[in-house]
């Protein structure tokens, strides 16, 4: 009887866990637990096994609540799930924070709250005092700097250009001003500044009678008709900078001569034709060569290396698919190795400070030819080819370094128009407005350019002449004007 009572007591306990071994033992003893409880427990155990994320403690709690028959607590219904903020949301947040702070205040005694508040106020006052002392120190520094600037006349110009907001920014601007100031070449001649001012005054002049607006009806968006005047005005000023020396052969170079330079450029014209490079690449190549030779001594054995290196740099800048270094080595009959070209390329770029974007004669030719054809009912392709031919002839000649690229471009258009048509004067108000050159100002350049066209000196460098004798250029190299251009001046 005692054993049966103990077994019955164990069976009636709803909270104890019954394993399979204990159930078998109970079956042998004759005390099987109720089927409903066992099946409910097994089903609940399967659900708990399926949920792998739940912990063991949660499983035990769930089984206890399920056995006891208690219902799970229902979740409160969400009233508003939209992203739109209700009108009284801020008021509710404020009220909620007030209630929460009041609850927290009730938990702790008031003495602790007052002590914490006193400590916070002391910290804030200390921080404010530190900030005030720092501001006072900075203001004293600013006053000292301003006093030094007033005493020193060299810094008054920089003081007018500064715009700083706040004391901190003002001090930083004063310290960084010598670093950020534009570097001007030492000993910049005043004549160049006067020339810049003269050009700016010419370009800012309003259009007068007889001047055609060449940017008005441009259909090609690549011409940037809206911004073209500002772009070319800026280029006209920038061409005065970064110019090669006009007498570097006499000052710097002792191993090479102007004739060697001409032979090199004549050969580079053939290279550009071989690799089908655009004309801008050729003009930029010559500019890089002259700028490097202006301040660097080069032996005649390395002159060809300098030529292919500058063409490599120019082609990387201008071409879509530039020739490889190996191709330039091959064109020199492998006289120079790849390593030598790359080393010199690094030297040239570092010397020029990577300032490769410079205006050349080709840059101005596009604009001036467009202005010249404004008086034509139909665009004249011969005028464009002839002007380009005359401009390229000047690349070989060392004496033309003394002329500005815009002056050479304007003179090429002048002489090309005179060569094609002697019945009208080649210069008009539109060309004078867009080139900012009058006809008398072009006299010396046009006369020198006509000598190149006639080849009065008997130059034997014929790469450019052979290039423009081709049919694709309308054989403009064979054109001559029956009358001399000197009769116009």
């Amino acid at each position: 009887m005692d054993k049966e009572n103990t077994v019955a007591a164990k069976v009636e306990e709803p909270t104890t866990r019954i394993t399979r071994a204990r159930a078998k033992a109970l079956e042998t003893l004759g005390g099987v637990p109720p089927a409903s409880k066992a099946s409910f427990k097994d089903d609940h155990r399967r659900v708990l096994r399926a949920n792998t994320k739940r912990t063991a403690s949660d499983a035990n709690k769930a089984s206890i609540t399920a056995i006891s028959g208690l219902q799970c607590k229902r979740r409160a219904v969400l009233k508003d799930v939209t992203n739109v903020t209700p009108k009284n949301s801020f008021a509710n947040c404020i009220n909620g924070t007030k209630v929460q702070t009041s609850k927290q205040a009730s938990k702790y005694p008031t003495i602790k709250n007052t002590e914490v508040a006193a400590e916070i106020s002391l910290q804030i006052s200390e921080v404010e005092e530190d900030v005030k002392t720092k501001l006072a120190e900075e203001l004293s520094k600013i006053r000292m700097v301003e006093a030094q600037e007033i005493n020193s006349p060299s810094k008054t110009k920089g003081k007018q250009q500064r715009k700083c907001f706040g004391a901190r920014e003002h001090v930083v601007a004063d310290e960084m001003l010598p670093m950020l100031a534009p570097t001007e070449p030492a000993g910049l001649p005043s004549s160049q500044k006067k020339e810049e001012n003269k050009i700016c005054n010419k370009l800012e002049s309003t259009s007068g009678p007889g001047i055609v607006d060449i940017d008005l009806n441009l259909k090609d968006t690549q011409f940037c008709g809206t911004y073209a005047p500002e772009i070319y005005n800026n280029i006209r000023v920038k061409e005065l900078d970064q110019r090669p020396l006009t007498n570097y052969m006499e000052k710097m170079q002792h191993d090479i001569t102007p004739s060697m330079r001409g032979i090199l450029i004549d050969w580079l014209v053939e290279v550009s034709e071989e690799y089908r490079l655009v004309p801008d690449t050729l003009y930029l190549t010559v500019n890089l060569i002259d700028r490097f030779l202006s301040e660097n001594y080069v032996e005649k054995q390395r002159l060809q290396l300098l030529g292919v290196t500058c063409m490599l740099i120019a082609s990387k800048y201008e071409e879509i698919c530039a020739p490889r270094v190996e191709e330039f080595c091959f064109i020199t009959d492998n006289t120079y190795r790849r390593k030598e070209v790359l080393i010199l390329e690094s030297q040239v770029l570092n010397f020029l400070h990577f300032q490769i974007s410079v205006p050349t004669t080709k840059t101005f030719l596009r604009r001036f030819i467009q202005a010249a054809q404004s008086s034509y009912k139909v665009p004249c392709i011969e005028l464009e080819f002839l002007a380009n031919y005359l401009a390229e002839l000047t690349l070989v000649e060392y004496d033309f370094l003394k002329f500005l690229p815009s002056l050479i471009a304007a003179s090429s258009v002048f002489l090309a128009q005179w060569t094609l048509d002697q019945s009208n004067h080649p210069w008009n108000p539109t060309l004078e407005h867009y080139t900012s050159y009058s006809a008398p100002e072009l006299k010396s350049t046009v006369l020198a350019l006509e000598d190149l066209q006639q080849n009065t000196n008997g130059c034997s460098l014929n790469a450019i002449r052979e290039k423009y004798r081709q049919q694709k250029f309308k054989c403009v190299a064979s054109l001559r004007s029956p009358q001399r251009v000197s009769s116009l001046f």
Side-chain angles (χ1 to χ4, degrees):
M1 291 295 288
D2 295 334
K3 289 181 180 179
E4 289 178 0
N5 290 332
T6 54
V7 170
K10 289 178 182 178
V11 171
E12 288 174 358
E13 286 178 2
T15 58
T16 57
R17 186 175 179 182
I18 301 174
T19 62
R20 293 181 184 177
R22 188 177 294 179
K24 261 188 185 179
L26 291 173
E27 286 177 5
T28 55
L29 294 174
V32 182
S36 62
K37 289 183 179 178
S39 63
F40 180 80
K41 229 174 183 184
D42 294 338
D43 295 337
H44 189 67
R45 192 182 298 158
R46 291 191 191 97
V47 173
L48 291 175
R49 285 176 183 173
N51 190 1
T52 58
K53 293 183 180 180
R54 185 175 295 176
T55 59
S57 63
D58 293 336
N60 294 331
K61 289 178 184 178
S63 64
I64 292 169
T65 53
I67 293 168
S68 61
L70 295 175
Q71 293 183 356
C72 298
K73 196 173 184 179
R74 292 185 179 180
R75 181 178 293 175
V77 179
L78 295 175
K79 293 181 180 179
D80 188 9
V81 293
T82 60
N83 291 328
V84 182
T85 311
K87 294 181 180 179
N88 299 325
S89 61
F90 295 103
N92 295 332
C93 292
I94 293 168
N95 295 330
T97 52
K98 287 180 179 179
V99 172
Q100 190 173 3
T101 51
S102 63
K103 288 180 180 179
Q104 290 178 358
S106 63
K107 290 182 181 179
Y108 302 100
T110 56
I111 299 171
K112 292 184 177 180
N113 292 336
T114 54
E115 290 177 358
V116 171
E119 290 177 0
I120 291 171
S121 62
L122 287 172
Q123 291 176 1
I124 291 172
S125 62
E126 289 176 0
V127 171
E128 288 178 353
E129 288 178 0
D130 293 339
V131 172
K132 288 179 180 178
T133 53
K134 288 181 181 178
L135 286 175
E137 291 175 1
E138 288 175 354
L139 287 172
S140 63
K141 289 180 182 178
I142 293 167
R143 288 168 184 170
M144 290 175 64
V145 171
E146 288 178 351
Q148 290 176 2
E149 288 176 349
I150 292 170
N151 294 329
S152 59
S154 60
K155 294 185 179 179
T156 53
K157 186 178 179 181
K159 183 182 175 183
Q160 295 174 359
Q161 295 176 354
R162 296 178 201 135
K163 287 184 179 180
C164 300
F165 303 93
R168 191 77 172 174
E169 295 176 358
H170 192 88
V171 174
V172 173
D174 287 336
E175 293 175 355
M176 294 297 292
L177 186 63
M179 298 172 63
L180 298 177
T183 56
E184 294 183 357
L188 186 67
S190 59
S191 59
Q192 183 173 345
K193 292 183 179 180
K194 290 180 181 179
E195 193 173 355
E196 288 182 2
N197 296 330
K198 185 179 177 182
I199 290 172
C200 292
N201 293 331
K202 282 185 178 181
L203 296 173
E204 289 175 358
S205 60
T206 56
S207 58
I211 297 174
V212 180
D213 189 0
I214 62 176
D215 301 313
L216 186 61
N217 297 320
L218 284 177
K219 296 181 180 179
D220 192 355
T221 56
Q222 292 184 354
F223 281 100
C224 302
T226 309
Y227 313 104
E230 288 80 7
I231 291 172
Y232 279 92
N233 292 349
N234 185 30
I235 292 173
R236 281 299 310 274
V237 177
K238 296 299 283 185
E239 74 169 336
L240 300 175
D241 304 329
Q242 302 172 1
R243 289 187 62 196
L245 296 178
T246 59
N247 56 349
Y248 68 83
M249 285 289 181
E250 295 79 14
K251 284 189 174 182
M252 182 60 61
Q253 306 302 326
H254 304 288
D255 202 17
I256 60 176
T257 60
S259 61
M260 292 181 185
R261 175 191 174 275
I263 293 170
L264 173 66
I265 296 173
D266 188 73
W267 175 74
L268 289 175
V269 172
E270 296 178 355
V271 174
S272 65
E273 284 292 295
E274 180 70 22
Y275 291 127
R276 298 181 180 179
L277 304 179
V278 295
D280 301 79
T281 305
L282 180 63
Y283 281 97
L284 183 57
T285 302
V286 177
N287 180 271
L288 296 178
I289 291 171
D290 289 329
R291 285 166 62 193
F292 188 79
L293 290 175
S294 295
E295 298 186 24
N296 294 275
Y297 174 76
V298 176
E299 299 176 352
K300 61 181 179 182
Q301 291 85 5
R302 295 174 61 85
L303 183 61
Q304 189 180 15
L305 176 62
L306 177 64
V308 294
T309 303
C310 291
M311 182 162 277
L312 173 65
I313 296 170
S315 59
K316 285 181 180 180
Y317 184 80
E318 296 287 355
E319 301 291 333
I320 298 174
C321 298
R324 297 177 300 163
V325 184
E326 290 79 9
E327 294 181 78
F328 284 109
C329 294
F330 173 76
I331 206 71
T332 62
D333 198 13
N334 293 321
T335 306
Y336 308 103
R337 293 176 298 174
R338 183 177 185 272
K339 187 178 180 181
E340 293 178 302
V341 176
L342 295 179
I343 291 173
L344 187 56
E345 178 188 15
S346 176
Q347 292 176 359
V348 172
L349 289 173
N350 287 322
F351 168 73
L352 299 176
H353 302 288
F354 288 83
Q355 295 177 355
I356 305 173
S357 180
V358 292
T360 61
T361 305
K362 184 64 178 177
T363 309
F364 297 102
L365 267 179
R366 293 188 177 92
R367 182 75 168 172
F368 297 166
I369 290 172
Q370 184 185 355
Q373 292 185 347
S374 62
S375 59
Y376 287 67
K377 295 181 180 179
V378 179
C380 182
I381 194 67
E382 286 85 0
L383 175 65
E384 182 176 354
F385 289 151
L386 184 55
N388 280 287
Y389 163 66
L390 295 173
E392 284 189 25
L393 285 176
T394 62
L395 293 176
V396 184
E397 296 297 325
Y398 170 75
D399 294 334
F400 272 82
L401 288 177
K402 60 187 177 183
F403 300 117
L404 288 172
S406 59
L407 185 61
I408 295 174
S411 302
S412 301
V413 174
F414 187 100
L415 186 57
Q417 289 211 111
W418 175 251
T419 304
L420 294 174
D421 185 16
Q422 292 85 31
S423 60
N424 297 319
H425 197 279
W427 217 237
N428 53 38
T430 302
L431 279 167
E432 185 173 348
H433 171 71
Y434 285 103
T435 62
S436 72
Y437 291 114
S438 61
E441 292 175 337
L442 301 175
K443 180 179 179 180
S444 59
T445 314
V446 170
L447 293 177
L449 196 59
E450 189 183 28
D451 292 337
L452 286 181
Q453 184 187 20
Q454 302 288 341
N455 198 14
T456 55
N457 296 328
C459 181
S460 59
L461 304 175
N462 293 322
I464 298 173
R465 302 179 193 278
E466 292 296 329
K467 172 184 174 181
Y468 282 93
R469 282 197 184 101
Q470 301 177 32
Q471 189 61 37
K472 65 178 181 179
F473 294 113
K474 302 294 182 181
C475 305
V476 294
S478 58
L479 295 178
R480 299 287 187 276
S481 59
Q483 298 179 7
R484 298 288 300 216
V485 74
S486 57
S487 61
L488 297 175
F489 302 105

